[in-house]
Amino acid sequence: MTDTNQPSTPRYMLSDVDFDEAEERAVLDVIRSKWLSQGPRTAEFEKRFAAFTGAKFALATSNCTTSLHLAMLAAGVGPGDEVIVPSLSFVATANCVLYVGATPVFAEIESLERPLISPDSVARVMSPKTKAIVPMHYAGYPCDIAGMRAIAPRRPLRIIEDAAHSVGSRVDGRMLGTIGQIGCYSFFANKNLPAGEGGMVTTDDPGLFEDMKLRRSHGMTSLSWDRMKGHAFSYDVVGVGYNFRMPELTAAVGIVQLEKLERHNRERDRVFGEYVKRLIGHPKLTIPFAQEAAPGARHLMPVVLGESVDRKAFMQALREAGIQTSIHYPPIHRFSHYARLAGGTPKPMPLTEAYAARVVTLPFHPALSDSDVATICGEIARALG
Ligand SMILES: *Cc1c(COP(=O)(O)O)cnc(C)c1O
C-alpha cells in the first residue's frame, strides 16, 4: 500500500486488486483482436471456470445480479411464488426475486458468530408458495444447505446459491455454487476474482443451462461469433431474452485472475489469521467464524463490536488513522422499498438487526502484509479505548 498526501484516500483500503503485465497483455490482445464482446475468450473463461468449480456447465454473464436474474427465470420463479433470502446480504440477492414478479421472504442468520442464513429460520418462513431458497455464503463460509434440504425433503425446492463471496470455497469437497441447482458468482472490482464487472452461473442441469444461455442473449438461437465463424447464417428468437453478455475484455482479465485465485485465497487466509491472532479475546469485539475451519475462500473481515461501543465514533477514529472500514450489510428488510413492500412495518429480525447494527468490516485483501495488519489492529485497540 502506498502512502498518499490526499486525505480522502485511506492508507489501508478495504479491498485492492493485484494486476500486472499478465492482465495488461490479456487486455491488449483483446483490443488487437478487435473482437470485443462474447467470443473466444469468454468461451475459454467458461471452460476454465467449469473445470475449476467442477460444474458441468458454466455460463459467463455481465454481472452477478444478471446471473441471479437468469437463475430465477430458469428456475421458473414468477408471480405468486415466494423465494426465501437472507436479509443480511447485498440487495441484489433480494432484487432478483422482484425482477421476476415474485415475493422475497426474509430469513434470519444463525448467530452473531455464524451470520449465515439459518435453516431453522427458513423452516419458520417456508410456505406452500415457497419456490426457491437463495443461500448467500457470507464472507466465503458455507451456509447449511443440507439443513435446508432436510426441512422439506419431499418438496422440489430450488436452491440458487449466491456465491458472490465464495469463489473457491468448498464444503465436503464440493465447491460452493455447485451444491444447489444453480450457482451465481460476481467478478465485480472488489470481489475475490475481480474483473471490473462480470459474473458467471454454474449448473449441472443441461435444461437449466440451455434456458439461461438463450435468455443471456435475447433468446436468440445463434450468436454473432458463431455466424462470423460460418457456423450459422441466421437465427430464431425462441423466448424473451436479455443482453446479459460478458465483454471479451472482462473475460480476458477473468482468465488471468482465475489463475491467481488460489494464491490470493491463501493470502487471505494468512491475513485472516493475523487479524484473529491480534484481536481474539478482546473484551469489546467478537470475530465471526473465528472457530470455523478455513472454507477455502474468504471475502470479508467482519468484527462485531460490543454493545457499549459507539460504532460511528469507532469507524471515524479508524478513518482518521487512514483505515477504511465498511458495513456488510445494512439489512435488506429495513430498506425503504422493502419496508413499503412489507406494508410499512417490516417484521422484526432481532439477530440480523443486532449483527447489522454492530458489524464493521476491516481492510481485507491479499496484499495486506502482517505488519499492515499489526498497525490496523493497534489502531483498533486504541479506538476501543
Ligand atoms: C457483489 C454481490 C452481488 C452482486 O454482484 P454484481 O456482480 O455486482 O452484480 C450479489 N450478491 C452478493 C452477496 C454480492 O456481494
Side-chain angles (χ1 to χ4, degrees):
M1 306 254 47
T2 49
D3 213 337
T4 166
N5 293 322
Q6 287 174 298
S8 56
T9 308
R11 183 164 143 85
Y12 299 103
M13 301 285 284
L14 212 53
S15 70
D16 194 11
V17 291
D18 165 23
F19 287 166
D20 55 35
E21 301 76 29
E23 284 83 1
E24 289 173 12
R25 219 176 311 115
V27 167
L28 198 59
D29 284 349
V30 173
I31 288 168
R32 289 183 175 153
S33 81
K34 300 188 183 179
W35 192 273
L36 295 180
S37 188
Q38 197 176 283
R41 282 166 190 83
T42 304
E44 178 67 22
F45 189 25
E46 288 170 337
K47 205 173 100 189
R48 292 191 191 196
F49 200 83
F52 175 73
T53 56
K56 285 213 178 78
F57 306 102
L59 193 75
T61 61
S62 45
N63 54 62
C64 185
T65 306
T66 54
S67 292
L68 288 161
H69 190 171
L70 283 178
M72 287 295 138
L73 292 165
V77 177
D81 294 331
E82 292 179 353
V83 177
I84 301 175
V85 302
S87 175
L88 186 77
S89 185
F90 183 60
V91 68
T93 311
N95 277 348
C96 65
V97 180
L98 298 181
Y99 299 159
V100 297
T103 304
V105 174
F106 295 104
E108 270 276 30
I109 54 173
E110 291 184 28
S111 67
L112 300 190
E113 289 74 36
R114 264 180 66 85
L116 302 170
I117 185 170
S118 138
D120 287 343
S121 172
V122 168
R124 282 197 299 276
V125 297
M126 191 170 276
S127 88
K129 292 182 184 165
T130 306
K131 184 82 173 249
I133 306 173
V134 188
M136 193 282 273
H137 306 295
Y138 181 92
Y141 290 82
C143 300
D144 183 3
I145 291 179
M148 283 168 219
R149 285 202 172 118
I151 293 161
R154 275 179 293 280
R155 284 189 56 192
L157 279 179
R158 298 281 194 191
I159 306 264
I160 314 257
E161 295 174 74
D162 183 338
H165 292 190
S166 53
V167 56
S169 281
R170 286 185 177 79
V171 68
D172 300 331
R174 287 191 73 141
M175 285 275 184
L176 300 190
T178 68
I179 296 160
Q181 276 75 28
I182 301 172
C184 303
Y185 308 80
S186 173
F187 309 131
F188 181 64
N190 66 10
K191 298 287 168 33
N192 287 29
L193 198 165
E197 296 281 356
M200 196 74 77
V201 286
T202 55
T203 184
D204 283 347
D205 183 319
L208 293 176
F209 173 67
E210 286 305 323
D211 186 280
M212 292 191 285
K213 193 172 166 186
L214 278 169
R215 292 182 202 270
R216 174 179 62 172
S217 196
H218 308 287
M220 288 161 63
T221 51
S222 78
L223 308 170
S224 355
W225 177 253
D226 299 323
R227 293 194 296 281
M228 202 275 280
K229 300 293 275 184
H231 298 153
F233 295 92
S234 185
Y235 58 83
D236 188 17
V237 170
V238 294
V240 179
Y242 302 84
N243 174 359
F244 290 166
R245 291 186 304 261
M246 176 177 280
E248 286 283 274
L249 291 159
T250 305
V253 174
I255 289 168
V256 180
Q257 283 288 311
L258 182 57
E259 281 169 7
K260 295 179 175 179
L261 180 67
E262 295 276 25
R263 176 162 61 78
H264 286 163
N265 281 344
R266 292 296 70 76
E267 291 297 323
R268 286 170 186 271
D269 278 341
R270 171 187 58 76
V271 175
F272 184 83
E274 289 298 316
Y275 271 118
V276 171
K277 195 169 83 188
R278 292 181 165 82
L279 297 177
I280 196 96
H282 193 291
K284 288 189 183 166
L285 58 79
T286 51
I287 307 172
F289 306 115
Q291 311 304 328
E292 307 275 323
R298 303 176 193 272
H299 175 57
L300 299 172
M301 184 65 227
V303 293
V304 178
L305 303 177
E307 276 174 294
S308 62
V309 180
D310 177 345
R311 179 170 66 176
K312 215 161 140 190
F314 176 77
M315 292 174 77
Q316 184 58 30
L318 290 187
R319 176 201 280 269
E320 279 158 20
I323 299 163
Q324 186 187 20
T325 58
S326 186
I327 295 167
H328 290 82
Y329 291 93
I332 301 172
H333 73 288
R334 298 285 296 268
F335 286 136
S336 311
H337 184 67
Y338 283 91
R340 216 159 33 235
L341 291 178
T345 32
K347 257 206 323 232
M349 303 186 70
L351 277 175
T352 296
E353 285 162 28
Y355 186 86
R358 290 163 53 190
V359 70
V360 173
T361 37
L362 304 174
F364 193 61
H365 56 79
L368 279 177
S369 70
D370 295 357
S371 77
D372 290 336
V373 177
T375 305
I376 294 167
C377 292
E379 294 296 340
I380 289 171
R382 230 159 57 123
L384 289 174

